[in-house]
Amino acid sequence: MYAARLGAEPCVSRGPDQRYYAASTMKIAVLAALCRSGLDLDAPVLVENCFTSAVPGPAYRLPPDREVDAGTWRMLGRRVPLRWLAERMVQHSSDLATNICLAQVGVEAVAEVWRLAGARHSVTRRGIEDAGARAAGVTNLVTAADLVRLLCWLPSEQLELLAGNVHREDLAAGLPDGTWVAFKNGWVRGVRHSAGIVRPPDAAPYAVAICYAGPLASGEAFGDPAARMLARVSARLWERRHDLVTVRATGSPPRAAD
């Protein structure tokens, strides 16, 4: 976990550099790479479910039950603006849209985003459900501190896209209704993360990333016990929003899971 007022030292830090499997938080870096790529975001691209693996071998596909966003899946075989796919990627957590966007920019461009944001340990090396790469040990990793660095580096227009995230079961659930928060969460069995920038109407904005790996994470978008735990942490931070001070929590963070 890592939380800080913008431009300030962390007020809460527990295992900030512990590496975790990224789950869908890697979509923040893909969004940033796409927006700085110079590609025409209004150009139509084909929505197809066939991707080149990060390692030598056959192409891979997303299984239909892996896609959380039915709206993107319904567009298979049609052409849509790249901008629309970017929005579905971060607002509806579409894995299909993510893999298409990643194929457009490449992992090298995403690595450059992490570098420019000042990330120290986070990497994006493959698309989602690239089983061949996963078997070869090629994976996507994040840390809580790096997620905060990335969010604080993003321009306002990308933060506004993240503010449209419809999956509000964790970090956003710990905030009062109507609170502005630009965030991205990620979940698979054994992992639940959420990272965002919160703008209270009565206090300075702050950034927070909460990364969890353990048995509470069911891997479900809804009804995940880990999501409720993250919401409680978010609520405690909100309660302290007026007097956030540097506090380093003790103890070791849960182990990463892939």
Side-chain angles (χ1 to χ4, degrees), residues 5 30 42 44 70 80 89 164 176 186 242:
R5 283 181 172 153
V30 176
D42 294 315
V80 299
M89 173 176 65
H242 294 294

Side-chain angles (χ1 to χ4, degrees), residues 165-237:
N165 185 354
V166 303
H167 292 281
R168 308 181 75 83
E169 298 78 32
D170 40 56
L171 192 152
L175 305 172
D177 290 344
T179 302
W180 189 95
V181 54
F183 74 109
K184 185 70 193 81
N185 35 18
W187 57 88
V188 296
R189 182 172 293 279
V191 163
R192 186 90 190 198
H193 310 320
S194 198
I197 291 178
V198 182
R199 292 179 184 165
D202 58 352
Y206 60 91
V208 56
I210 311 167
C211 297
Y212 170 80
L216 288 179
S218 68
E220 302 296 326
F222 306 99
D224 183 357
R228 295 194 292 271
M229 179 186 69
L230 266 60
R232 291 194 295 272
V233 175
S234 177
R236 291 294 300 274
L237 280 172

Side-chain angles (χ1 to χ4, degrees), residues 34 38-47 78-86 100-101 104:
L34 186 68
L39 293 171
D40 181 0
L41 299 186
D42 294 315
V45 297
L46 180 64
V47 179
R78 300 170 63 180
R79 292 185 178 274
V80 299
L82 191 54
R83 187 186 310 277
W84 184 85
L85 289 169
I100 296 170
C101 291
Q104 291 286 317

